[in-house]
Amino acid sequence: QVQLVESGGGLVQAGGSLRLSCAASGSIFGFNVMGWYRQAPGKQRELAASINSAGVTNYANSVKGRFTISRDNARNTVYLQMNSLKPEDTAVYYCRLIYGMDYWGNGTLVTVSS
């Protein structure tokens, strides 16, 4: 059974930076996709960024140029470096792993104050 543990959320002022981490427990071999989704109050959950095990990335238009997703396959860990944060980036950020099954973390809150 794979579990995802997120860390790195918090409160930051607009223009600041945060880095989120998500570590997947268990053995993961072969093709998989890890990503960060976010859900703002009253809105649907949406993709922020994803990266597959070959390193191919995908970003939402709203975060392109500000967020960078990366991964360490040896540690089964994915990172999201968030720069130039805006109040509209405020949301609960969820880690997702697609590896045969669909796994989700419990989420970490990011709050950006104006």
Side-chain angles (χ1 to χ4, degrees):
Q1 183 71 14
V2 175
Q3 291 186 323
L4 303 177
V5 179
E6 301 128 329
S7 61
L11 173 64
V12 65
Q13 288 188 330
S17 298
L18 283 174
R19 188 172 93 144
L20 306 182
S21 299
C22 172
S25 65
S27 298
I28 299 175
F29 301 100
F31 183 81
N32 62 84
V33 181
M34 298 188 79
W36 289 96
Y37 287 70
R38 62 186 186 180
Q39 188 166 18
K43 295 189 176 181
Q44 290 188 331
R45 192 174 297 188
E46 62 177 10
L47 171 72
S50 67
I51 183 169
N52 67 25
S53 47
V56 178
T57 59
N58 184 38
Y59 293 93
N61 287 334
S62 58
V63 308
K64 280 182 181 177
R66 301 187 298 121
F67 291 9
T68 302
I69 190 169
S70 60
R71 62 186 291 165
D72 182 337
N73 288 333
R75 291 182 168 83
N76 291 333
T77 300
V78 65
Y79 306 96
L80 186 67
Q81 178 66 42
M82 305 185 293
N83 298 329
S84 302
L85 283 161
K86 304 175 181 180
E88 51 263 45
D89 294 317
T90 295
V92 177
Y93 283 71
Y94 296 90
C95 179
R96 182 185 189 188
L97 166 65
I98 303 172
Y99 176 59
M101 296 177 63
D102 199 356
Y103 301 92
W104 290 89
N106 291 327
T108 184
L109 178 62
V110 171
T111 304
V112 184
S113 63
S114 57

